[in-house]
């Protein structure tokens, strides 16, 4: 079931490149000019893409309650190339690295076909009760591996320079 809120509408879809796509419609009454407010919303839009990726991978609220495991972002790098006002954006999310415990995500924020910003995030599987990193549960590991395998042979984005190297453990 997709989340709906008065602020935005999240619709995860598979694109022709197997990327996880999130369409964001901004319902706030923002001024029709580029402002710091708009730039400050970019991380919020990327977070909506993370929500779609988590849903695709099965990392839902029920999973967290059942296993007492979640993911934690360790480090991220945001690149802003352009700022433009719009009420509609697209966020694509792609797994660039996966080792069973850590995930390197690469996201693009697009306005139509124009790249506005990118975000790389290194996340780990985290055992809430033990307070340490852990392997993903087998069913989640399988889903993430399948998504990663679909993304592995896609051409690298022009600006991609990995912040982290992941090797299978």
């Amino acid at each position: 079931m997709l989340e709906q809120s008065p602020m935005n509408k999240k619709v995860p879809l598979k694109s022709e490149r197997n990327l996880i796509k999130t369409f964001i419609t901004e319902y706030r009454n923002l001024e029709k000019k580029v402002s710091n407010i708009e730039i400050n919303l970019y991380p919020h839009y990327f977070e909506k893409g993370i929500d779609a990726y988590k849903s695709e991978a099965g990392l839902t609220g029920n999973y967290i309650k059942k296993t007492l495991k979640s993911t934690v972002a360790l480090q991220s790098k945001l690149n802003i190339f352009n700022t433009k006002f719009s009420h509609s954006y697209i966020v694509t999310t792609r797994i660039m690295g996966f080792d069973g415990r850590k995930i390197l995500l690469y996201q693009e924020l697009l306005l139509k076909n124009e790249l506005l910003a990118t975000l790389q995030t290194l996340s780990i599987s985290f055992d809430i009760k033990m307070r340490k990193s852990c392997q993903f549960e087998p069913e989640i590991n399988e889903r993430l591996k399948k998504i990663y395998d679909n993304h592995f042979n896609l051409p690298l984005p022009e600006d991609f320079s990995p912040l982290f190297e992941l090797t299978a453990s």
Side-chain angles (χ1 to χ4, degrees), residues 42-70:
Y42 281 8
H44 170 73
Y45 300 149
F46 282 121
E47 187 63 32
K48 294 300 173 187
I50 295 285
D51 291 345
Y53 135 77
K54 284 182 174 182
S55 176
E56 184 91 9
L59 296 166
T60 63
N62 287 337
Y63 169 80
I64 295 168
K65 287 177 193 172
K66 179 178 143 193
T67 64
L68 291 177
K69 294 180 181 177
S70 186

Side-chain angles (χ1 to χ4, degrees), residues 5 41 65 127 165:
S5 78
L41 289 173
K65 287 177 193 172
D127 186 311
E165 291 294 325

Side-chain angles (χ1 to χ4, degrees), residues 90-112:
I90 298 172
V91 174
T92 61
T93 304
R94 175 177 174 180
I95 298 177
M96 300 298 281
F98 175 63
D99 72 357
R101 180 182 303 245
K102 298 182 290 296
I103 302 168
L104 177 58
L105 296 174
Y106 175 84
Q107 296 178 283
E108 293 179 336
L109 178 66
L110 303 158
L111 176 59
K112 298 183 182 166

Side-chain angles (χ1 to χ4, degrees), residues 2-113:
L2 299 176
E3 173 188 3
Q4 297 279 340
S5 78
M7 240 171 28
N8 57 56
K9 177 171 67 173
K10 182 176 77 169
V11 185
L13 297 173
K14 291 281 190 177
S15 76
E16 60 280 3
R17 293 179 31 174
N18 293 321
L19 300 176
I20 299 168
K21 258 190 188 178
T22 306
F23 293 90
I24 297 171
T25 303
E26 184 60 64
Y27 290 107
R28 285 177 267 206
N29 191 13
L30 301 173
E31 293 181 38
K32 292 188 176 183
K33 63 180 183 177
V34 175
S35 67
N36 286 338
I37 293 171
E38 190 66 17
I39 295 168
N40 290 335
L41 289 173
Y42 281 8
H44 170 73
Y45 300 149
F46 282 121
E47 187 63 32
K48 294 300 173 187
I50 295 285
D51 291 345
Y53 135 77
K54 284 182 174 182
S55 176
E56 184 91 9
L59 296 166
T60 63
N62 287 337
Y63 169 80
I64 295 168
K65 287 177 193 172
K66 179 178 143 193
T67 64
L68 291 177
K69 294 180 181 177
S70 186
T71 58
V72 176
L74 290 179
Q75 192 169 3
S76 60
K77 177 184 175 189
L78 173 65
N79 290 318
I80 297 175
F81 303 110
N82 203 343
T83 54
K84 290 194 174 179
F85 175 83
S86 178
H87 285 287
S88 298
Y89 298 95
I90 298 172
V91 174
T92 61
T93 304
R94 175 177 174 180
I95 298 177
M96 300 298 281
F98 175 63
D99 72 357
R101 180 182 303 245
K102 298 182 290 296
I103 302 168
L104 177 58
L105 296 174
Y106 175 84
Q107 296 178 283
E108 293 179 336
L109 178 66
L110 303 158
L111 176 59
K112 298 183 182 166
N113 288 327

